[in-house]
Amino acid sequence: MSLKARTMAAAIGATLIAWGIGAPAQASPAPEDGQIHIQGTIRCAPEGKTYTVKKKPGTAVRTKPAKTAPQVDTVYFGNKVTSKFYCVNDSVIFVCISLCKVDETGIAGRWVFRGDIN
């Protein structure tokens, strides 16, 4: 796929997301760095921000961007985390802080709830 075609596909995808229209992952073009990724109803995009944990005593680190995903660790109050991706799942935002994998085959990594960090 040419750069022009990938750019156009990314622009169309971003417009659909802005309008609140999701698409299944199979309908998405192969992801490239800097593109928005769609996995079912979860929408993700790359991010590179540093946050501080504001929840006391700390926030849960989960295996997927969902409140029901298994907790594997805790990041404690006052610690800093750096995001690699963020995902919106049912209007809830999660930030991937390590082992991030977001592509057409799936979503994995270590995720924290965006509401617990600032």
Side-chain angles (χ1 to χ4, degrees):
M1 186 182 274
S2 71
L3 177 61
K4 185 176 181 179
R6 285 195 312 254
T7 304
M8 180 64 75
I12 291 169
T15 301
L16 290 173
I17 289 170
W19 289 345
I21 300 170
Q26 299 87 320
S28 302
E32 300 286 331
D33 257 7
Q35 285 188 339
I36 294 172
H37 304 273
I38 302 171
Q39 180 77 23
T41 59
I42 300 174
R43 292 181 284 285
C44 301
E47 182 180 60
K49 294 182 181 177
T50 299
Y51 296 100
T52 303
V53 177
K54 67 179 184 179
K55 182 180 177 188
K56 290 182 181 179
T59 186
V61 179
R62 302 193 179 276
T63 57
K64 295 188 187 259
K67 289 240 181 195
T68 57
Q71 180 176 341
V72 293
D73 203 355
T74 301
V75 181
Y76 292 98
F77 176 80
N79 285 331
K80 296 197 180 299
V81 295
T82 301
S83 65
K84 278 61 166 175
F85 282 91
Y86 74 91
C87 291
V88 180
N89 183 4
D90 293 327
S91 301
V92 180
I93 302 171
F94 289 87
V95 174
C96 187
I97 59 172
S98 70
L99 304 173
C100 305
K101 177 187 168 236
V102 177
D103 61 25
E104 71 276 1
T105 62
I107 297 174
R110 298 298 178 249
W111 299 85
V112 295
F113 173 55
R114 175 65 179 85
D116 292 343
I117 56 179
N118 62 4

